[in-house]
Amino acid sequence: MKKFFALALALAMTVSLAACGGGSTPPASASGSAGSAAPSGDGDKVYKVAMICDSNISDGGWGAACYNAMETAAADLGWETNYADSVAQSDYANSMTGFCDMGYDMIFLPGNQYSDATVQVAKDYPDIAFAVLNGATTLPTDNITSILPDADQIGYMAGALAGLMSKTNVLGFIGGMEIDTTKAKLAGFEKAAKAINPDITVLSAYAGSFNDVAKGMELANGMISQKADVFFGDASAVDSGARQAIDAANGSGEIAIFDIG
């Protein structure tokens, strides 16, 4: 258990500073060297850490931030890393199992949506550590650690900033899926914005996905048409689509539109 805690803590500290259809087999070509740092852990052992991601590690959002955090921790601590991105929900468990069978010491799951598959796989691999970002604190097995940032505080900080910035008194929030942490961020965002300015209206929508860039553009354009001038998102690649819409609107509109990353 000390190994599980040490691995998860090292990753959690880095993830906290960095900020969610594909094949079931982890791509061997998609591996990265951990760098030349001295190995951490037991003796000369070099720990191997893999990440499963349903979005793309180059999405400019949640997927990229989590991947970069893993790589930073790996470089500091001498880990070897690998990843599988654009993984369909039906393949979460298969991808995790593939890495477990390849001898990885920890599997990093950057989102609450992986919880059910993680519980399923972790029972069969009690000697492997699993770290779920935004996972519930009640995840049942001893080898699963939840890395849980304070979603309420994140929402409050973004909402207070947006309330101070808005010129139109209309804000936009785009979520990926209606998971508890995203809903908490939205609630905090709206409450803080209205505490700053009671006249604020918050428009919100969920994409039903974390990787639908086109849906992000569609939702943002709809809110822009209703005069939203400050956005906050919790939707990974969907956020990238929203930012594309914001960039286009800033090229042609009279009001500057901002996005809080």
Side-chain angles (χ1 to χ4, degrees):
M1 290 306 298
K2 289 182 178 180
K3 178 189 80 171
F4 297 153
F5 178 77
L7 282 167
L9 178 61
L11 185 60
M13 291 175 67
T14 311
V15 168
S16 68
L17 295 173
C20 187
S24 61
T25 303
S29 61
S31 61
S33 170
S36 58
S40 64
D42 304 326
D44 294 329
K45 177 178 173 59
V46 175
Y47 286 111
K48 297 169 65 177
V49 179
M51 169 178 153
I52 306 295
C53 189
D54 55 9
S55 61
N56 191 284
I57 62 163
S58 301
D59 63 9
W62 188 255
C66 291
Y67 172 77
N68 290 337
M70 180 183 72
E71 289 297 301
T72 299
D76 288 345
L77 298 168
W79 299 344
E80 293 181 8
T81 63
N82 204 335
Y83 68 91
D85 64 353
S86 300
V87 177
Q89 184 175 7
S90 59
D91 284 330
Y92 290 169
N94 287 339
S95 291
M96 287 183 231
T97 298
F99 282 125
C100 291
D101 290 340
M102 292 165 62
Y104 280 78
D105 298 286
M106 184 169 77
I107 313 298
F108 172 38
L109 298 314
N112 184 58
Q113 66 269 33
Y114 307 95
S115 294
D116 290 344
T118 302
V119 171
Q120 174 189 335
V121 175
K123 292 177 181 177
D124 295 330
Y125 295 91
D127 295 328
I128 296 175
F130 295 80
V132 183
L133 182 57
N134 283 334
T137 56
T138 55
L139 289 172
T141 65
D142 290 339
N143 55 331
I144 302 176
T145 298
S146 177
I147 304 170
L148 192 61
D150 193 318
D152 294 318
Q153 289 187 5
I154 293 169
Y156 268 81
M157 289 188 289
L161 178 60
L164 291 168
M165 291 176 64
S166 180
K167 303 298 184 184
T168 65
N169 292 339
V170 182
L171 309 179
F173 178 94
I174 297 175
M177 296 181 182
E178 293 189 59
I179 57 178
D180 289 343
T181 49
T182 303
K183 290 190 288 187
K185 289 174 187 176
L186 171 57
F189 181 72
E190 185 166 10
K191 188 172 183 178
K194 290 187 174 181
I196 294 293
N197 181 355
D199 294 328
I200 286 284
T201 296
V202 176
L203 307 175
S204 64
Y206 289 91
S209 167
F210 286 109
N211 54 22
D212 191 339
V213 175
K215 188 67 175 179
M217 295 179 67
E218 174 191 331
L219 293 174
N221 279 325
M223 295 177 185
I224 290 169
S225 71
Q226 299 177 67
K227 306 300 183 185
D229 66 342
V230 184
F231 283 77
F232 177 49
D234 191 40
S236 197
V238 175
D239 291 332
S240 298
R243 290 174 190 137
Q244 291 178 41
I246 292 167
D247 286 344
N250 277 330
S252 60
E254 297 179 357
I255 300 172
I257 304 172
F258 298 91
D259 180 74
I260 300 172

